[in-house]
């Protein structure tokens, strides 16, 4: 789960992270009031969407105008900027061409910037540890830094048995060329970020840029927090920060039905039980020269209600031209799954090719039910056969 910049800063501030004073605004009038409470002379008006590159982005309604982060020098200018930005569609590298509608702004005080650094914490899959990533190239996307200057990226893994030591912060500070007051401030910032990461069950904390001020202090000028969905049951206060405007409606609907769904860019919808099997299914579709439209794990209980919900979600994606169902009947019997698929196909009036591969308990009975259903559902012998059949059907432009 992702949250907005202002929400991330509020959380991090509670762990001692230095942030600038700011206010949220959902209307030009609120932006004016917020700006009047800030010291100036420079005020920053920031679009709040779940995507990076906001400053370099452009609004669809004014493609030749300014971006999603604007510097102003008076409350009146802040109000004018808010009028231009709110309810407009901001397109950045991370939003794709569709962009995101800006529903709220963060009105923040300006800052005396001497240097810009990069800092993030994430779980390194290779080591299984929380890893601190830092760089002198603040303000840039870390992928670009890794591409042209990989030597400028510093990494430090934290032993969970020991936890964070201030020594690690001081070591990174020296490597970044910080000294004195700035080095001490950096060590405190890293310690605060690590404490927040563990306490909030984060997936990532990214501060880009982390700026060194003219006075030698440090300030988190931007902040991104993402949380491990599997740990959200421990943090009901974080669930309240969810902004459904920023999430895929299909993913929200899937969550309501207990389905694990992630939208992708392909045209073959996948409905599978088990995350590993779902990944294998997507891989084999790609091996056949096509692209999956989604990851969808219906879990162990593929009931009629769940299958109907899954089909409706898949078919709500206009890019889906065919569906592959790949179910292993371990917890659930294949005949029950087959009946659920048949009833769901009738209920949603399926209009795209459907290939079903069943394996496990009562597989022969499940295949027989599908063959005798009178519906144009294609049975497959194995996963490779299923992938070939659905890719062929989609390429032929077949319809159910």
């Amino acid at each position: 789960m992702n949250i907005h910049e202002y929400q991330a800063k509020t959380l991090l501030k509670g762990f001692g992270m230095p942030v600038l004073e700011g206010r949220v605004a959902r209307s030009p009038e609120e932006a004016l009031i917020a700006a009047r409470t800030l010291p100036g002379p420079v005020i920053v008006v920031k679009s709040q969407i779940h995507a990076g590159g906001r400053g370099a982005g452009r609004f669809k309604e004014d493609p030749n105008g300014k971006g999603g982060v604007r510097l102003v020098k008076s409350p009146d200018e802040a109000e004018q900027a808010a009028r231009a930005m709110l309810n407009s569609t901001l397109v950045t590298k991370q939003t794709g061409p569709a962009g995101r509608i800006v529903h709220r702004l963060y009105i923040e005080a300006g800052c005396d910037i001497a240097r810009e650094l990069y800092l993030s914490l994430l779980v390194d899959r290779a080591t299984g540890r929380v890893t601190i990533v830092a760089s002198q190239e603040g303000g840039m996307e870390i992928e670009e830094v890794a591409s042209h200057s990989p030597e400028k990226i510093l990494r430090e893994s934290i032993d969970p048995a020991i936890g964070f030591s201030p020594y690690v912060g001081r070591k990174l500070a020296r490597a970044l060329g910080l000294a004195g007051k700035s080095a001490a401030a950096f060590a405190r910032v890293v310690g605060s970020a690590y404490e927040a990461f563990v306490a909030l069950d984060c997936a990532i904390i990214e501060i880009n840029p982390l700026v060194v001020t003219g006075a030698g202090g440090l300030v988190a000028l931007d902040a991104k927090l993402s949380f491990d969905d599997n740990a959200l049951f421990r943090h009901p206060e974080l669930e309240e920060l969810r902004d459904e405007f920023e999430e895929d409606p299909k993913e929200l609907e899937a969550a309501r039905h207990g389905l694990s769904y992630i939208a992708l860019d392909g045209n073959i919808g996948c409905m599978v039980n088990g995350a590993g099997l779902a990944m294998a299914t997507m891989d084999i579709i790609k091996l056949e020269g096509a692209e999956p439209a989604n990851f969808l794990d219906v879990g162990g209980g593929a009931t009629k209600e769940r299958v109907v919900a899954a089909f409706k979600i898949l078919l709500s994606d206009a890019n889906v031209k065919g569906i592959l169902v790949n179910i292993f009947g371990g917890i659930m019997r294949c005949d029950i799954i087959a009946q659920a698929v048949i009833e769901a196909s009738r209920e949603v009036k399926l209009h795209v090719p459907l290939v079903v591969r069943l394996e496990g308990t009562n597989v022969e009975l499940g295949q027989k039910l599908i063959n005798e259903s009178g519906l144009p559902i294609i049975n497959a012998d194995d996963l490779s056969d299923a992938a070939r059949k659905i890719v062929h059907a989609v390429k032929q432009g077949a319809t159910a």
Side-chain angles (χ1 to χ4, degrees):
M1 188 188 90
N2 298 316
I3 59 175
H4 289 295
E5 171 196 356
Y6 75 91
Q7 295 168 324
K9 287 181 173 178
T10 299
L11 289 173
L12 290 173
K13 184 179 180 180
F15 290 89
M17 182 69 66
V19 299
L20 298 169
E21 186 180 356
R23 304 283 187 277
V24 180
R26 292 175 173 80
S27 69
E29 293 75 20
E30 288 184 2
L32 175 64
I33 295 169
R36 285 174 175 168
T37 68
L38 300 177
V42 176
I43 298 167
V44 188
V45 182
K46 297 182 173 183
S47 300
Q48 297 296 286
I49 61 171
H50 290 177
R54 293 169 294 165
R58 289 295 180 268
F59 288 95
K60 277 188 176 181
E61 294 78 2
D62 185 17
N64 297 317
K66 297 179 181 179
V69 177
R70 304 185 183 185
L71 300 180
V72 299
K73 295 185 177 180
S74 72
D76 289 338
E77 287 185 19
E79 181 185 22
Q80 293 171 12
R83 291 189 185 282
M85 298 162 72
L86 283 168
N87 301 313
S88 295
T89 305
L90 181 60
V91 180
T92 77
K93 286 183 178 180
Q94 294 186 13
T95 65
R100 297 276 180 83
I101 297 176
V102 177
H103 294 284
R104 63 188 85 179
L105 304 170
Y106 191 43
I107 315 301
E108 190 175 53
C111 181
D112 176 17
I113 302 173
R115 285 185 63 188
E116 294 188 353
L117 307 172
Y118 175 92
L119 175 67
S120 69
L121 283 80
L122 49 84
V123 177
D124 186 342
R125 302 292 179 183
T127 63
R129 296 180 174 184
V130 176
T131 298
I132 301 167
V133 180
S135 174
Q136 298 181 30
E137 300 287 328
M140 293 182 60
E141 294 182 12
I142 198 64
E143 294 83 3
E144 293 183 16
V145 180
S147 175
H148 67 75
S149 302
E151 73 283 355
K152 293 184 178 179
I153 297 179
L154 309 174
R155 294 180 176 85
E156 284 288 337
S157 294
I158 307 299
D159 186 335
I162 299 173
F164 176 79
S165 170
Y167 163 76
V168 174
R170 294 193 296 269
K171 177 183 175 183
L172 287 169
R174 287 194 300 272
L176 293 171
L178 299 175
K181 178 180 178 180
S182 298
F186 182 83
R188 289 193 297 271
V189 163
V190 178
S192 296
Y194 181 80
E195 184 182 355
F197 192 97
V198 175
L200 300 175
D201 287 304
C202 292
I204 187 171
I205 291 179
E206 184 178 59
I207 301 172
N208 186 27
L210 173 66
V211 302
V212 182
T213 67
L218 267 70
V219 172
L221 205 60
D222 195 2
K224 172 185 176 182
L225 265 67
S226 180
F227 306 99
D228 183 347
D229 290 350
N230 295 313
L232 285 176
F233 72 94
R234 291 200 290 242
H235 303 283
E237 76 283 2
L238 297 181
E239 283 275 18
E240 296 177 2
L241 302 180
R242 187 185 294 274
D243 182 357
E244 295 191 353
F245 283 114
E246 293 293 319
E247 299 188 32
D248 188 320
K250 297 187 293 296
E251 295 181 8
L252 288 172
E253 183 64 17
R256 294 188 186 102
H257 293 278
L259 304 169
S260 297
Y261 173 91
I262 299 174
L264 300 173
D265 297 327
N267 63 356
I268 295 179
C270 304
M271 188 176 77
V272 192
N273 65 331
L277 189 58
M279 296 295 287
T281 302
M282 293 191 296
D283 285 345
I284 204 161
I285 287 173
K286 289 181 71 69
L287 283 173
E288 290 296 326
E291 295 290 334
N294 63 274
F295 169 99
L296 175 56
D297 175 10
V298 296
T303 62
K304 175 200 166 185
E305 291 73 23
R306 270 194 167 186
V307 174
V308 168
F311 276 176
K312 287 181 177 178
I313 291 166
L314 295 178
L315 294 172
S316 67
D317 184 347
N319 293 325
V320 169
K321 306 303 180 186
I323 296 175
L324 171 56
V325 174
N326 183 22
I327 301 290
F328 178 78
I331 299 174
M332 289 288 290
R333 302 197 319 263
C334 288
D335 55 319
I336 295 176
I337 296 167
Q339 194 60 47
V341 170
I342 292 167
E343 293 180 20
S345 299
R346 289 177 174 144
E347 184 168 331
V348 301
K349 296 181 173 59
L350 193 70
H351 59 275
V352 298
L354 171 62
V355 173
V356 177
R357 180 258 182 168
L358 300 174
E359 189 56 76
T361 307
N362 288 358
V363 61
E364 294 84 1
L365 179 56
Q367 291 175 337
K368 181 181 178 182
L369 287 171
I370 287 175
N371 289 332
E372 296 177 352
S373 68
L375 296 171
I377 303 174
I378 305 170
N379 260 317
D381 297 327
D382 54 42
L383 182 51
S384 296
D385 181 48
R388 284 193 296 269
K389 285 179 176 177
I390 190 61
V391 171
H392 176 75
V394 169
K395 286 183 178 179
Q396 293 298 312
T399 57

